[in-house]
Every structure is written in C-alpha cells, then in structure tokens.
C-alpha cells in the first residue's frame, strides 16, 4: 500500500505538525518516517504486541524521538491536555466505539490542539454504501480485526466536538475497480 501511494498520504497527513504528538493505533510504525522535524516527540500507542515490536524497530530509525507503548484508544496512557496533536491513521474503522476514542483524543489534546486523520470511510454513492452495510453486518469485522468499512468518520469527528478545517475525500487505491475500503478521507480538525 505504501509503495502504491499510501506513503504520500502519510506524508500529507503529518505535514506541518510540531510539538508533542500522540499516534493512536500506530501499527508497525509506517508513519514514523514521515514526522516533520518540528515534532519534539511522538507517543505511539499500539495494543498488539507483535506490531509494537516492529514499530520499535521503525522508531529507532525515525527522524524524531518516538516512544512505542501498549494501550488502546479508549484509555490513552497520557495526561489531560498534554499533546499538541493526535493522529489516527486507518484506526477509527477498528476501534469498538468511535465516540469514546474521540472523547479520549479530546482529553489528551491541549486546547486548540489538532486532530489529524487518514481513514477509509463510508462511500458517497448509495450502491457502495449498501454493500458496506451488508459487509459490516456480516463477517467483515470478525475477519478484519474489528474493521468496519461503512463508518461515517468525518461526521463522528464533528459530533465529538471537533471543527474540521481541512477535509479531502478520495479513492485509494485509485484502481479501476472500487473496493468497499476505497473511499478515504484525510484531514485536520481542531478541538473546539
Ligand atoms: C490498519 S492498522 C493501521 C496501522 C497504522 N496506524 C497505519 O497507518 O499503518 C489498524 C491498527 O489499529 C490498531 N487498533 C485496533 N483497535 C484499536 C484500539 N481499540 N485502540 C488502538 N489501536 C487499535 C491495530 O492494532 C492496528 O495496529
């Protein structure tokens, strides 16, 4: 995916960030290489042990200090108002409760702090939305580690009390055949 264009999306996701960042569900750390040098440190939270191990190897090669820790989006190992930015990248599809994860992000953000997101989301076309609903009600989340294909994540971000000030919608990968996971959003929101 990264060779197919995701690396460029990751770069845009993180461009312009500065200060202390908390990345939630960091996986194996594919974002780490893209943090700008104005970021003073990243707390990368990842629940899965094997991914954490690989993430630590990627952290050692990152251009900014990255600490990889265990944790889940609902209970972040961070103090209130301690982060300049929170990053979700391909994670809000999988958290058990988006509203709760976003409330927790709001808790750890400083007033005016930024939320950055890159997520696959609910389709804009009716037909694909119907397919997504069928998949989400079936085996997809069971087989995909809790992943849901049809979540309206931009709406959830706004409902959680953030103001979205930049939002891109695009298909990724940009292949001739649209998959249920093709519709993506990438953007920035601020804590109100
Ligand atoms: C598709 S991967 C994305 C990994 C990484 N953020 C990226 O952009 O490559 C989804 C990640 O979300 C993590 N995850 C799943 N449920 C989570 C939760 N409740 N809290 C935090 N992370 C979670 C998974 O362990 C996995 O690392």
């Amino acid at each position: 995916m990264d060779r197919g264009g995701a690396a460029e999306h990751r770069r845009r996701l993180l461009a312009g960030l500065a200060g202390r960042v908390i990345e939630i569900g960091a996986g194996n750390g594919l974002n780490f290489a893209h943090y700008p040098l104005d970021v003073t440190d990243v707390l990368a939270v990842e629940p899965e042990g094997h991914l954490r191990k690989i993430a630590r190897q990627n952290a050692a090669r990152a251009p900014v200090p990255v600490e990889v820790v265990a944790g889940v989006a609902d209970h972040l190992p961070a103090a209130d108002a301690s982060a300049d930015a929170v990053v979700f990248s391909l994670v809000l599809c999988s958290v058990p409760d988006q509203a709760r994860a976003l409330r927790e992000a709001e808790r750890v953000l400083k007033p005016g702090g930024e939320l950055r997101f890159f997520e696959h989301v609910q389709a804009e076309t009716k037909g694909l939305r119907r397919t997504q609903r069928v998949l989400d009600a079936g085996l997809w989340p069971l087989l995909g580690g809790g992943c849901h294909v049809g979540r309206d994540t931009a709406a959830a971000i706004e409902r959680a009390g953030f103001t979205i000030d930049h939002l891109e919608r695009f298909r990724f990968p940009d292949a001739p055949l649209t998959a249920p996971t093709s519709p993506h959003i990438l953007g920035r929101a601020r804590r109100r």
Side-chain angles (χ1 to χ4, degrees), residues 26-188:
N28 57 8
L30 286 175
N31 281 325
F32 299 168
H34 303 282
Y35 277 102
L37 295 177
D38 285 339
V39 168
T40 52
D41 63 302
V42 178
L43 180 70
V45 179
E46 170 53 46
E48 211 278 312
H50 179 65
L51 292 176
R52 261 200 320 276
K53 199 169 151 197
I54 306 171
R56 289 199 174 106
Q57 291 161 10
N58 284 324
R61 290 191 288 270
V64 300
V66 180
E67 185 189 4
V68 180
V69 297
V72 289
D74 291 0
H75 298 283
L76 295 175
D80 294 1
S82 57
D84 296 288
V86 165
V87 172
F88 284 108
S89 148
L90 307 172
V91 172
L92 284 167
C93 55
S94 300
V95 297
D97 183 339
Q98 283 192 322
R100 211 165 144 183
L102 288 161
R103 262 203 311 280
E104 185 64 348
E106 194 185 14
R107 179 185 71 75
V108 300
L109 273 174
K110 295 176 184 173
E114 261 191 272
L115 189 76
R116 295 283 183 106
F117 50 90
F118 168 40
E119 297 286 342
H120 68 80
V121 294
Q122 186 183 75
E124 289 186 286
T125 55
K126 261 191 187 165
L128 188 55
R129 266 209 305 274
R130 198 174 311 122
T131 306
Q132 289 177 325
R133 270 199 303 276
V134 170
L135 291 172
D136 281 348
L139 288 178
W140 190 283
L142 288 174
L143 299 176
C147 171
H148 294 74
V149 286
R151 287 184 170 174
D152 188 354
T153 300
I157 290 171
E158 292 201 307
R159 267 198 310 276
F162 290 91
T163 302
I164 295 180
D165 44 37
H166 178 76
L167 180 66
E168 296 172 33
R169 287 186 185 272
F170 54 95
R171 229 168 38 148
F172 178 74
D174 193 13
L177 215 62
T178 302
T181 51
S182 296
H184 278 70
I185 56 171
L186 186 151
R188 292 191 295 268

